[in-house]
Amino acid sequence: MMYYVYHIPDKKIGVTNDIQSRVVDQQGYDWGEFDILAMDEDISYVSNLELELQKKFGYKVDRQLYEDLFTNNFTELNNMKINVTEMTTTFPCPVNKLKGQLMDNLGMSWETDHGNVMLTESSVRWIIQNAKASMYDKERCYVYNKAFARWFDNNDPHKHTTQIAGVDKELDRINAKLFPKSKDCATSCSDCGEEIFDCIRAWANERGLYDKGDPKTQYIKLMEETGEIGRAILKNDTAEIIDGIGDAVVVLTNLAELVGVPIEECIQEAYNVISKRTGKMKNGTFVKDN
């Protein structure tokens, strides 16, 4: 059977084994309104290629591989008895035994108030790094659902399972053809390698900032931090400038979270605007053209 990776510009990248039925009949697109990026009989290859393309070109990344829709490899939820509340997911083992339990249940998924989550090699790594021992039962541990769901919103949960031969070469070919100027930008935490903004959000969530914090107080805090940056610049104190800028980014991350918009989205929106601006430098400042 042949599988097709298709692209509906500005909408999505998907996989199907029946273009006419899936894209034309069901989704209502004419043949000239979408592109066939790749085709192959290897379902694992196209499944992984789909995820890599979605990630590379800024589309929502599927949480489940296409090929897994047709297999029974997922472990049933009741194979590991977890307890899901509004705030947390609790696992039936201490932190030092958690990794084995999770790896034995790869593919397991569940619903939280903040969205669906699932166990992949990559998400297991996040859980291990963020799990907390229960204060009520030493034989149990937990993670915060909001932080876990947010990690899915900002990361590729399959990034450790997409090393299929030929995928990188195909990505380069498609990238050069359709997106010659696209670049994959990432900011990773030096401690754990995860997205730095996720680490900031997990830190803030553990301290109750998102439950009890307020955008107005974060704005005041931001003004304090920018004042410190200004004083450091006047003193030509590089270390304090770095510290102040970092603190301001942390505050901005939490302010964005409190108003319900990830900081990554704010940054992307800003870049989408400035990337199209033209102008010139004047008295040390970039002045945009009218």
Side-chain angles (χ1 to χ4, degrees), residues 151-174:
W151 179 87
F152 273 92
D153 291 337
N154 296 297
N155 293 273
D156 176 6
H158 301 284
K159 67 181 179 181
H160 293 310
T161 61
T162 56
Q163 304 304 314
I164 303 297
V167 169
D168 288 340
K169 184 177 181 180
E170 188 73 3
L171 281 168
D172 291 340
R173 181 190 70 78
I174 294 171

mmCIF file of all heavy atoms in Angstrom, residues 151-174:
data_model
loop_
_atom_site.group_PDB
_atom_site.id
_atom_site.type_symbol
_atom_site.label_atom_id
_atom_site.label_comp_id
_atom_site.label_asym_id
_atom_site.label_seq_id
_atom_site.Cartn_x
_atom_site.Cartn_y
_atom_site.Cartn_z
ATOM 1 N N TRP A 151 4.230 21.212 28.071
ATOM 2 C CA TRP A 151 5.404 20.640 27.412
ATOM 3 C C TRP A 151 5.007 20.052 26.065
ATOM 4 O O TRP A 151 5.719 20.226 25.070
ATOM 5 C CB TRP A 151 6.012 19.558 28.305
ATOM 6 C CG TRP A 151 7.224 18.908 27.684
ATOM 7 C CD1 TRP A 151 8.518 19.326 27.773
ATOM 8 C CD2 TRP A 151 7.232 17.735 26.865
ATOM 9 N NE1 TRP A 151 9.335 18.481 27.051
ATOM 10 C CE2 TRP A 151 8.574 17.497 26.491
ATOM 11 C CE3 TRP A 151 6.245 16.859 26.409
ATOM 12 C CZ2 TRP A 151 8.948 16.425 25.686
ATOM 13 C CZ3 TRP A 151 6.615 15.781 25.611
ATOM 14 C CH2 TRP A 151 7.956 15.574 25.260
ATOM 15 N N PHE A 152 3.868 19.382 25.986
ATOM 16 C CA PHE A 152 3.407 18.823 24.723
ATOM 17 C C PHE A 152 3.119 19.919 23.707
ATOM 18 O O PHE A 152 3.321 19.729 22.506
ATOM 19 C CB PHE A 152 2.145 17.978 24.941
ATOM 20 C CG PHE A 152 2.430 16.553 25.316
ATOM 21 C CD1 PHE A 152 2.521 16.184 26.641
ATOM 22 C CD2 PHE A 152 2.631 15.588 24.360
ATOM 23 C CE1 PHE A 152 2.801 14.881 27.002
ATOM 24 C CE2 PHE A 152 2.905 14.276 24.697
ATOM 25 C CZ PHE A 152 2.992 13.917 26.030
ATOM 26 N N ASP A 153 2.628 21.056 24.177
ATOM 27 C CA ASP A 153 2.306 22.150 23.259
ATOM 28 C C ASP A 153 3.552 22.744 22.620
ATOM 29 O O ASP A 153 3.478 23.305 21.530
ATOM 30 C CB ASP A 153 1.561 23.271 24.001
ATOM 31 C CG ASP A 153 0.162 22.853 24.425
ATOM 32 O OD1 ASP A 153 -0.387 21.920 23.808
ATOM 33 O OD2 ASP A 153 -0.369 23.449 25.379
ATOM 34 N N ASN A 154 4.699 22.599 23.284
ATOM 35 C CA ASN A 154 5.907 23.275 22.826
ATOM 36 C C ASN A 154 7.032 22.343 22.407
ATOM 37 O O ASN A 154 8.126 22.810 22.073
ATOM 38 C CB ASN A 154 6.422 24.204 23.934
ATOM 39 C CG ASN A 154 5.453 25.320 24.249
ATOM 40 O OD1 ASN A 154 5.156 26.158 23.411
ATOM 41 N ND2 ASN A 154 4.922 25.318 25.459
ATOM 42 N N ASN A 155 6.792 21.040 22.408
ATOM 43 C CA ASN A 155 7.841 20.087 22.067
ATOM 44 C C ASN A 155 7.289 18.958 21.201
ATOM 45 O O ASN A 155 6.084 18.716 21.158
ATOM 46 C CB ASN A 155 8.454 19.482 23.346
ATOM 47 C CG ASN A 155 9.212 20.503 24.162
ATOM 48 O OD1 ASN A 155 10.396 20.744 23.928
ATOM 49 N ND2 ASN A 155 8.533 21.127 25.121
ATOM 50 N N ASP A 156 8.193 18.291 20.536
ATOM 51 C CA ASP A 156 7.850 17.118 19.741
ATOM 52 C C ASP A 156 7.966 15.885 20.633
ATOM 53 O O ASP A 156 9.083 15.496 20.986
ATOM 54 C CB ASP A 156 8.792 17.008 18.543
ATOM 55 C CG ASP A 156 8.557 15.747 17.731
ATOM 56 O OD1 ASP A 156 7.581 15.012 18.025
ATOM 57 O OD2 ASP A 156 9.335 15.486 16.804
ATOM 58 N N PRO A 157 6.854 15.262 21.028
ATOM 59 C CA PRO A 157 6.937 14.123 21.950
ATOM 60 C C PRO A 157 7.590 12.890 21.345
ATOM 61 O O PRO A 157 7.920 11.955 22.056
ATOM 62 C CB PRO A 157 5.461 13.849 22.303
ATOM 63 C CG PRO A 157 4.702 14.360 21.131
ATOM 64 C CD PRO A 157 5.463 15.566 20.650
ATOM 65 N N HIS A 158 7.774 12.880 20.022
ATOM 66 C CA HIS A 158 8.342 11.704 19.365
ATOM 67 C C HIS A 158 9.772 11.927 18.910
ATOM 68 O O HIS A 158 10.292 11.159 18.112
ATOM 69 C CB HIS A 158 7.492 11.332 18.149
ATOM 70 C CG HIS A 158 6.064 11.031 18.487
ATOM 71 N ND1 HIS A 158 5.657 9.854 19.064
ATOM 72 C CD2 HIS A 158 4.945 11.784 18.339
ATOM 73 C CE1 HIS A 158 4.340 9.881 19.242
ATOM 74 N NE2 HIS A 158 3.892 11.042 18.819
ATOM 75 N N LYS A 159 10.435 12.970 19.438
ATOM 76 C CA LYS A 159 11.733 13.328 18.874
ATOM 77 C C LYS A 159 12.799 12.267 19.086
ATOM 78 O O LYS A 159 13.796 12.250 18.388
ATOM 79 C CB LYS A 159 12.215 14.656 19.447
ATOM 80 C CG LYS A 159 12.549 14.652 20.930
ATOM 81 C CD LYS A 159 12.997 16.044 21.348
ATOM 82 C CE LYS A 159 13.310 16.109 22.826
ATOM 83 N NZ LYS A 159 13.721 17.470 23.233
ATOM 84 N N HIS A 160 12.612 11.354 20.047
ATOM 85 C CA HIS A 160 13.596 10.286 20.241
ATOM 86 C C HIS A 160 13.216 9.011 19.505
ATOM 87 O O HIS A 160 13.891 8.008 19.607
ATOM 88 C CB HIS A 160 13.748 9.970 21.733
ATOM 89 C CG HIS A 160 14.359 11.088 22.510
ATOM 90 N ND1 HIS A 160 15.515 11.720 22.135
ATOM 91 C CD2 HIS A 160 13.949 11.709 23.642
ATOM 92 C CE1 HIS A 160 15.815 12.674 23.006
ATOM 93 N NE2 HIS A 160 14.879 12.689 23.923
ATOM 94 N N THR A 161 12.114 9.032 18.772
ATOM 95 C CA THR A 161 11.682 7.818 18.079
ATOM 96 C C THR A 161 11.556 8.038 16.589
ATOM 97 O O THR A 161 10.920 7.265 15.895
ATOM 98 C CB THR A 161 10.321 7.347 18.625
ATOM 99 O OG1 THR A 161 9.349 8.378 18.403
ATOM 100 C CG2 THR A 161 10.405 7.031 20.102
ATOM 101 N N THR A 162 12.174 9.121 16.088
ATOM 102 C CA THR A 162 12.008 9.439 14.674
ATOM 103 C C THR A 162 13.287 9.256 13.868
ATOM 104 O O THR A 162 13.467 9.859 12.826
ATOM 105 C CB THR A 162 11.519 10.894 14.514
ATOM 106 O OG1 THR A 162 12.453 11.755 15.177
ATOM 107 C CG2 THR A 162 10.149 11.070 15.110
ATOM 108 N N GLN A 163 14.187 8.409 14.350
ATOM 109 C CA GLN A 163 15.428 8.196 13.632
ATOM 110 C C GLN A 163 15.264 7.071 12.607
ATOM 111 O O GLN A 163 15.774 5.971 12.739
ATOM 112 C CB GLN A 163 16.552 7.864 14.622
ATOM 113 C CG GLN A 163 16.739 8.915 15.714
ATOM 114 C CD GLN A 163 16.973 10.292 15.148
ATOM 115 O OE1 GLN A 163 17.775 10.445 14.232
ATOM 116 N NE2 GLN A 163 16.278 11.282 15.661
ATOM 117 N N ILE A 164 14.504 7.353 11.581
ATOM 118 C CA ILE A 164 14.268 6.385 10.506
ATOM 119 C C ILE A 164 15.157 6.743 9.324
ATOM 120 O O ILE A 164 15.234 7.898 8.907
ATOM 121 C CB ILE A 164 12.782 6.398 10.069
ATOM 122 C CG1 ILE A 164 11.892 6.099 11.272
ATOM 123 C CG2 ILE A 164 12.545 5.417 8.947
ATOM 124 C CD1 ILE A 164 12.098 4.733 11.880
ATOM 125 N N ALA A 165 15.844 5.763 8.774
ATOM 126 C CA ALA A 165 16.776 6.002 7.683
ATOM 127 C C ALA A 165 16.093 6.737 6.537
ATOM 128 O O ALA A 165 15.022 6.356 6.079
ATOM 129 C CB ALA A 165 17.341 4.665 7.185
ATOM 130 N N GLY A 166 16.729 7.798 6.063
ATOM 131 C CA GLY A 166 16.217 8.534 4.916
ATOM 132 C C GLY A 166 15.364 9.732 5.264
ATOM 133 O O GLY A 166 15.125 10.584 4.415
ATOM 134 N N VAL A 167 14.889 9.825 6.513
ATOM 135 C CA VAL A 167 14.001 10.931 6.876
ATOM 136 C C VAL A 167 14.740 12.258 6.785
ATOM 137 O O VAL A 167 14.219 13.226 6.217
ATOM 138 C CB VAL A 167 13.426 10.730 8.294
ATOM 139 C CG1 VAL A 167 12.731 11.999 8.780
ATOM 140 C CG2 VAL A 167 12.425 9.578 8.292
ATOM 141 N N ASP A 168 15.956 12.349 7.326
ATOM 142 C CA ASP A 168 16.692 13.605 7.297
ATOM 143 C C ASP A 168 16.966 14.056 5.861
ATOM 144 O O ASP A 168 16.856 15.242 5.543
ATOM 145 C CB ASP A 168 18.015 13.459 8.046
ATOM 146 C CG ASP A 168 17.815 13.360 9.551
ATOM 147 O OD1 ASP A 168 16.743 13.775 10.027
ATOM 148 O OD2 ASP A 168 18.716 12.861 10.235
ATOM 149 N N LYS A 169 17.312 13.117 5.003
ATOM 150 C CA LYS A 169 17.583 13.453 3.604
ATOM 151 C C LYS A 169 16.316 13.978 2.927
ATOM 152 O O LYS A 169 16.356 14.942 2.164
ATOM 153 C CB LYS A 169 18.109 12.221 2.874
ATOM 154 C CG LYS A 169 18.506 12.491 1.433
ATOM 155 C CD LYS A 169 19.096 11.244 0.798
ATOM 156 C CE LYS A 169 19.517 11.514 -0.638
ATOM 157 N NZ LYS A 169 20.100 10.300 -1.260
ATOM 158 N N GLU A 170 15.201 13.330 3.219
ATOM 159 C CA GLU A 170 13.934 13.772 2.633
ATOM 160 C C GLU A 170 13.536 15.144 3.163
ATOM 161 O O GLU A 170 13.029 15.994 2.429
ATOM 162 C CB GLU A 170 12.834 12.750 2.947
ATOM 163 C CG GLU A 170 11.516 13.002 2.227
ATOM 164 C CD GLU A 170 11.574 12.664 0.754
ATOM 165 O OE1 GLU A 170 12.618 12.185 0.272
ATOM 166 O OE2 GLU A 170 10.570 12.893 0.072
ATOM 167 N N LEU A 171 13.789 15.385 4.457
ATOM 168 C CA LEU A 171 13.512 16.691 5.036
ATOM 169 C C LEU A 171 14.312 17.786 4.341
ATOM 170 O O LEU A 171 13.787 18.857 4.035
ATOM 171 C CB LEU A 171 13.839 16.689 6.524
ATOM 172 C CG LEU A 171 12.816 16.044 7.458
ATOM 173 C CD1 LEU A 171 13.440 15.870 8.829
ATOM 174 C CD2 LEU A 171 11.564 16.884 7.545
ATOM 175 N N ASP A 172 15.582 17.521 4.097
ATOM 176 C CA ASP A 172 16.422 18.506 3.432
ATOM 177 C C ASP A 172 15.906 18.809 2.028
ATOM 178 O O ASP A 172 15.896 19.966 1.588
ATOM 179 C CB ASP A 172 17.870 18.006 3.356
ATOM 180 C CG ASP A 172 18.536 17.959 4.723
ATOM 181 O OD1 ASP A 172 18.042 18.655 5.638
ATOM 182 O OD2 ASP A 172 19.531 17.231 4.862
ATOM 183 N N ARG A 173 15.479 17.764 1.331
ATOM 184 C CA ARG A 173 14.983 17.955 -0.031
ATOM 185 C C ARG A 173 13.723 18.806 -0.030
ATOM 186 O O ARG A 173 13.590 19.771 -0.801
ATOM 187 C CB ARG A 173 14.690 16.596 -0.692
ATOM 188 C CG ARG A 173 14.197 16.710 -2.129
ATOM 189 C CD ARG A 173 13.703 15.375 -2.648
ATOM 190 N NE ARG A 173 12.467 14.965 -2.007
ATOM 191 C CZ ARG A 173 11.270 15.462 -2.327
ATOM 192 N NH1 ARG A 173 11.146 16.395 -3.250
ATOM 193 N NH2 ARG A 173 10.183 15.026 -1.705
ATOM 194 N N ILE A 174 12.771 18.465 0.853
ATOM 195 C CA ILE A 174 11.509 19.203 0.905
ATOM 196 C C ILE A 174 11.733 20.618 1.421
ATOM 197 O O ILE A 174 11.139 21.578 0.936
ATOM 198 C CB ILE A 174 10.508 18.451 1.798
ATOM 199 C CG1 ILE A 174 10.138 17.107 1.137
ATOM 200 C CG2 ILE A 174 9.242 19.270 2.027
ATOM 201 C CD1 ILE A 174 9.327 16.203 2.027
#
